[in-house]
Amino acid sequence: YDHLLKSGLHVDVARENSKGTFGGRMIRVYPFALTLPSEDSSLLSEIEMRGTEHDEMKFMTINDFLRMNLQCVPSLKRAFHHATFGSHLDLPQEVRDWEKDRVNGAAYLARKAVDLAAAHTQNGELLTDELSMAQSIAILRPSMVPIVNAMNEFDQRITHEGCGEIDQVRYELLKSLTDEANRCVELGYELLLKMCKSKAFSTEFVIGTFSRSSALKSILKRIIDSSDKVSAKVRVVCSQSTPGDEGMLMAIDIPSASCISDDEFQQQILDGKIDVVIVGADCVLSDENGIVNKIGTAELAFVCKQAGVPILSSADRWKLWSDIYCPPLEDIFELIPSELFEHVLVPKDAKQR
């Protein structure tokens, strides 16, 4: 039943919410949910419920659990929503529409998340185990760390400054997201320009990319616009990026770019027809423990390593992840070892949130 197991974004249970449990200290919980197949009715009888003499455990339906008012494990309902990626939350339709976006990158979706949190955050105290709108948005797309970080920052600011400052908090968060993305673009542009200039006696410099990132789009457009600074002609090739085919959209975003199948893209790398590959990142783990990006990135990085073609990953500080464990991975994401990349481009003074 491994395919039925799903882990969710961690939950920090604060001292004031723990009712003296856990020694009155903050505890970080990593929740998970196991979906029991309804057609296997015998499975329930095979599950052994374990606990202390003070625990009372029983099976109940999800609806009964969510309506339950009895005291139970602190933040249990919130942990459930985290582990089920908010699928049982009653949320505005435009939030659900945002959740379904599988073609835009993390930076773009983080900005949209700030707008949604600002539009739907209401004044008043939250009930026990109730999630704020920002928290609800964060758990919908937990692999995209800029969303999680931005929503955490939004909540902290609103808690400290009050709902009357929502417009100001929104403005400052959007400005920070834009400023940090611009720093990321500058860093990527400078490195690619340097690499391009190193091929001064070549007629063409080919840059390959995978998936779709707003930062990469800006980097590549700047490189193309800087043709007067280099002697080699810059050409961009986009991998189709299945599933989802975001590469096809990326090729439309970038003037004169072409899109080829993932297999053909990898073959061109092996044949030495691509000089450098650059990808984005949805999360950069601490201590060089890897990056999270769209599935297919790891295979691509191995091919680049085999062919001796440098592969770069570009990220800003909003993508830095401070927890010791990788964030929950949605079906379309994977963790890639840092050592497969020539460079993971993050501004040097960037700090994890």
Side-chain angles (χ1 to χ4, degrees):
Y1 298 103
D2 287 351
H3 64 291
L4 301 175
L5 187 66
K6 197 175 201 179
S7 61
L9 194 64
H10 60 253
V11 180
D12 289 330
V13 183
R15 180 187 304 178
E16 59 268 22
N17 295 331
S18 66
K19 300 181 176 64
T21 320
F22 316 127
R25 65 184 186 277
M26 173 77 76
I27 185 169
R28 176 159 287 186
V29 178
Y30 296 88
F32 66 90
L34 176 65
T35 303
L36 301 179
S38 56
E39 66 273 9
D40 193 350
S41 57
S42 63
L43 183 61
L44 294 182
S45 62
E46 298 176 11
I47 296 178
E48 182 179 352
M49 312 273 281
R50 293 184 179 181
T52 70
E53 65 274 17
H54 305 293
D55 297 326
E56 179 185 349
M57 298 185 181
K58 61 180 179 180
F59 288 107
M60 62 174 60
T61 66
I62 291 174
N63 287 337
D64 287 344
F65 167 68
L66 294 178
R67 288 196 297 262
M68 182 181 67
N69 293 319
L70 299 175
Q71 181 177 340
C72 58
V73 175
S75 297
L76 182 59
K77 289 183 181 178
R78 181 175 176 184
F80 167 82
H81 287 305
H82 279 231
T84 55
F85 285 33
S87 59
H88 295 276
L89 287 171
D90 183 14
L91 295 173
Q93 186 57 47
E94 62 177 331
V95 174
R96 289 298 184 190
D97 291 341
W98 167 89
E99 177 192 9
K100 296 173 185 175
D101 189 329
R102 294 296 188 273
V103 295
N104 287 299
Y108 173 88
L109 291 176
R111 293 177 60 84
K112 293 296 182 182
V114 171
D115 285 335
L116 289 170
H120 295 284
T121 294
Q122 298 178 351
N123 206 349
E125 291 287 326
L126 292 174
L127 302 175
T128 302
D129 258 5
E130 185 179 1
L131 281 79
S132 68
M133 180 54 63
Q135 292 165 352
S136 300
I137 290 171
I139 65 177
L140 299 178
R141 303 300 306 274
S143 303
M144 290 182 152
V145 162
I147 296 169
V148 178
N149 285 337
M151 294 299 91
N152 286 342
E153 182 79 8
F154 183 93
D155 252 8
Q156 291 169 12
R157 292 281 304 274
I158 294 302
T159 299
H160 182 261
E161 300 173 26
C163 287
E165 299 299 320
I166 284 180
D167 288 342
Q168 183 64 23
V169 171
R170 172 185 171 275
Y171 169 79
E172 292 176 2
L173 276 178
L174 290 176
K175 184 178 185 303
S176 178
L177 285 164
T178 299
D179 290 346
E180 294 301 324
N182 289 339
R183 294 178 66 207
C184 165
V185 169
E186 187 65 28
L187 188 62
Y189 166 73
E190 290 294 339
L191 181 57
L192 281 181
L193 185 63
K194 181 179 179 181
M195 296 176 75
C196 189
K197 286 181 176 179
S198 70
K199 293 198 68 172
F201 300 104
S202 176
T203 58
E204 190 174 57
F205 184 75
V206 183
I207 304 171
T209 189
F210 180 77
S211 195
R212 191 183 189 209
S213 159
S214 56
L216 291 191
K217 180 170 66 175
S218 298
I219 291 171
L220 295 171
K221 281 184 174 180
R222 282 193 63 184
I223 287 290
I224 292 172
D225 292 341
S226 299
S227 57
D228 59 324
K229 297 181 180 180
V230 295
S231 57
K233 178 184 178 182
V234 176
R235 183 164 63 88
V236 175
V237 178
C238 303
S239 186
Q240 185 177 344
S241 311
T242 56
D245 300 339
E246 297 94 337
M248 298 175 69
L249 294 174
M250 190 70 161
I252 295 172
D253 293 337
I254 301 171
S256 72
S258 61
C259 180
I260 58 179
S261 71
D262 295 337
D263 288 342
E264 186 179 353
F265 185 77
Q266 292 185 15
Q267 190 59 53
Q268 288 201 9
I269 292 172
L270 293 170
D271 292 342
K273 296 180 179 179
I274 293 178
D275 294 289
V276 62
V277 174
I278 184 167
V279 300
D282 293 278
C283 165
V284 178
L285 276 67
S286 60
D287 302 322
E288 298 185 352
N289 284 323
I291 73 160
V292 172
N293 203 43
K294 184 182 171 173
I295 54 172
T297 305
E299 181 181 351
L300 176 60
F302 277 114
V303 170
C304 287
K305 196 82 168 179
Q306 179 184 350
V309 173
I311 179 170
L312 319 174
S313 176
S314 179
D316 62 58
R317 77 175 177 94
W318 284 98
K319 297 183 177 182
L320 299 180
W321 186 239
S322 59
D323 194 61
I324 60 174
Y325 300 111
C326 179
L329 296 179
E330 302 162 54
D331 293 341
I332 59 173
F333 294 102
E334 65 184 356
L335 178 64
I336 307 101
S338 298
E339 57 265 25
L340 291 179
F341 295 92
E342 183 86 4
H343 297 286
V344 177
L345 303 173
V346 181
K348 288 183 177 180
D349 59 342
K351 295 181 180 179
Q352 291 169 322
R353 304 201 60 80

